[in-house]
Every structure is written in structure tokens, then in C-alpha cells.
Amino acid sequence: MRNAVRALPLLVSAALLAGAATACSSDDTSADKKTTSTPAPPKPAPALSDAQARAVITTYSKINNEANAQRDRARLDTVEDGPVYAMSVSEYTETEGLPKADRKPYKPWSYDASSAKLYIPRFTTGQDRWFAAALSSEKGKDPSRIAVFAEQPKDKRWELVSVVDLESKTLPDIALDKSGHATAVDATGNKQLAADASVLRAGVIDNFATGGTNTGTKVFKPTKASRQQIKVHDKTTRKFGKLGTTVFAGASNRFKDAYALKTRDGGALLLFAHTHTQTDAVAHSGLQINPSKEDNAWLHGTPRTSVTYTFVCSDAATVPAKAAPSQLIGYTCARTDAAGPPVGSAATDRA
């Protein structure tokens, strides 16, 4: 992922239980009866050490720069996955669609691994391992993003799978044990929280789709991030006036993994992803939508009667343990697709 992304935002934490096994024969003779002791459940261990986590962040920055310089998707795929990879590739695609004169030279950057605030949970054998980090791209500066790195056991590597631009420099108050490790909790179906990832995702989509009218303002208390999503809805749906319409809607979401860390108040920090669409359409025949240069990679400069844009977003929210609204603390979005029916080449009014 590049240093800045334009914003328009599976965890298994239950302990593995080893069942007791008892072998019995059909013979009623007590001498033939055998019992087995119940093995102790596996002891949770940190996903990795602090030093290893900082090395993961440093390696990510190095390879990310190498990939971005050449827009090398295969190279990028070794350090990114999920919505982060989808958003990064969309930036590559958008850049490649611009005239060469409009392509800005790539400027290398990196996360400051030494100042990263690490949240490393404990996991038992067989559980998916991941950790979160509050990151800054400038040495000495407060973190401005929160990210999740997940292990890919098959490839024996760690990859960035979620990153969110935070609305505030005040970080969530993550609960840490005596050794400084965080506690991972279920992000979906967790009855100990006021909302889980699916409820939060629906609330975010409603902020875009209705301005929060149905569920968004019920799920979230007002924050800078949630107000910004509502502002996107309100401003964008009015941009054409009487010449056209804009409709936001939820879309098929490939990125269902969500991550949650316990906070000191008994609630949790949740990081999740959502996908939504924005459909612009002319009000009547004789009008057309003229794509911008940034749309050229998908729309090739061809006027359209309607355009549906797809956005992939990463979101972060703090959720209380009791029944109360959650707080959206940041989100990051990128356009990943655009499509729509073209119009004829005859001159028409513009929308």
C-alpha cells in the first residue's frame, strides 16, 4: 500500500478443547476396562516476539517500496493480502490508465518500525496467528494508522491484511496482560459485545447508502469518521442536481475476515472490511457522463449513460461490552472498478 490512500473504510479465539477418550470392550470383565487421561489443553503462546513483529514491519516496507516502484503485483502479493492488496492493485491500475505525463514519480516511504505500538495476542497451536500495530510513516510522529499483519502458514510469511487511517492520535485503550500481550476475541457472533463485525459492516454501508438513516446512526455514535461517511453520501447524491442521480449500495464482499482485540473497558477494537458501490446515472436521454482521467483505466474515456463504481474499504471501530453505540474511529477506501453502458459519439449535454 502506498503512503496515502484516498478515502471517500477470522478470528478464532475460543480455546481448543481436547475431548476425553475412553476405550471400552464388550466384555463386562473389569480387568479389560481401560481408561485414558484427558490431555491438558494446549497453552496459548504469543503470535511472535516484539523483535520479530518489528522485523515483519520493516520487511513489509522494503518489499512494498520495491513493488510500488515497478507496480509489480506479484512482488506485492508476497507482503499484502485481502482488502489491502485489492486497494493497492487498484492504485496501480488507476496509474497505468493515466497519460504518462500525468503519472507522478514514485516516492519511497516506510513505516517506522522502532516506534510502532504493538498489540500481539496469544494463540494456541492450530489457530490463525496475527498481530496489530499502530504505525507512523514519520519517525518521531504519533501513529496515524492501525494495521493487522496475518501469518500465511502455507507460504511461511507474514502479510499486511488491514490498514486504517485513524481519525485521532488517541489510540484505542487495548487491554494488555502482565507480559504486555493483547487478548484476541471473537469478531463475529460475539455475544459479549454490543455489536460484532457484521453489525458494524451493515452500519457503515448504511452511512453511505442512506446517510445513516436506517441503522448507521443507531450502530455508531457521531465521530469524525462516521460523519465523513454521511457527508460523502449527502454531497455525492446531490452533485448532479436535476441532471442525474447517485445511489450507494452494499456489494458482494470478498473480504469477510475480521480481527478483534479486547479493550480495558471490557469491549473490543474491531477491524473489518466492506465493499460498496456508487452508481451515477443521467436523468434522461441526451445527457452523458464524461469519465475523468482517474477513471480512464476502467472507462477508457468513453462517455456513459451510467457508471457503477466499486469501492473496497477497511474500517476500524471500538465496541462497548454493554448495549450502547459503537465508535467508528477510521476507515480507508479505494475505487477498485468502474463500469457502465457507453453512449453514442454524437454531441450531447453533459451531466
Side-chain angles (χ1 to χ4, degrees), residues 34 74 86 105 139 143 151 156-157 174 191 193 204 207 212 224-225 229 238 262 346:
K34 298 180 181 179
K139 197 165 187 176
E151 184 186 35
K156 297 183 179 180
R157 65 193 184 209
I174 304 299
K191 302 301 182 183
L193 298 175
V204 165
N207 281 345
K224 182 179 178 180
Q229 291 178 343
R238 299 178 187 139
K262 184 179 179 180

Side-chain angles (χ1 to χ4, degrees), residues 251-292:
S252 177
N253 180 41
R254 295 185 290 132
F255 310 110
K256 296 180 174 61
D257 288 352
Y259 306 86
L261 292 171
K262 184 179 179 180
T263 51
R264 290 183 63 185
D265 61 3
L269 164 68
L270 269 72
L271 296 109
F272 57 100
H274 83 271
T275 304
H276 71 263
T277 58
Q278 171 191 325
T279 300
D280 295 346
V282 298
H284 56 76
S285 60
L287 296 174
Q288 66 185 40
I289 296 172
N290 297 306
S292 67

Side-chain angles (χ1 to χ4, degrees), residues 11 116-123 130-135 143 145-148 166 169-185 193 259-271 316-320 327 329:
L11 167 67
K117 177 68 174 175
L118 302 176
Y119 305 109
I120 302 176
R122 297 174 180 272
F123 299 103
W130 59 272
F131 73 93
L135 301 168
R145 292 178 174 178
I146 192 158
V148 172
L166 297 173
K169 294 181 180 179
T170 302
L171 297 175
D173 195 5
I174 304 299
L176 302 176
D177 62 21
K178 293 181 179 179
S179 62
H181 292 99
T183 300
V185 296
L193 298 175
Y259 306 86
L261 292 171
K262 184 179 179 180
T263 51
R264 290 183 63 185
D265 61 3
L269 164 68
L270 269 72
L271 296 109
T318 53
V319 180
Q327 287 185 278
I329 62 172

Side-chain angles (χ1 to χ4, degrees), residues 25-110:
S25 69
S26 58
D27 192 331
D28 198 32
T29 305
S30 60
D32 292 332
K33 292 182 179 180
K34 298 180 181 179
T35 61
T36 59
S37 59
T38 302
K43 186 177 180 180
L48 72 181
S49 69
D50 277 24
Q52 289 171 325
R54 295 186 196 281
V56 167
I57 295 168
T58 299
T59 298
Y60 168 77
S61 296
K62 176 180 180 294
I63 295 178
N64 176 257
N65 276 317
E66 294 172 355
N68 289 345
Q70 303 297 324
R71 294 188 295 277
D72 187 337
R73 291 161 173 78
R75 183 71 166 149
L76 184 71
D77 193 33
T78 65
V79 291
E80 287 188 359
D81 198 9
V84 175
Y85 180 74
M87 287 190 277
S88 294
V89 168
S90 75
E91 287 189 80
Y92 291 1
T93 302
E94 180 179 310
T95 299
E96 291 163 352
L98 293 172
K100 289 186 178 181
D102 292 335
R103 300 179 190 178
K104 296 179 180 179
Y106 177 70
K107 294 182 179 181
W109 66 282
S110 65

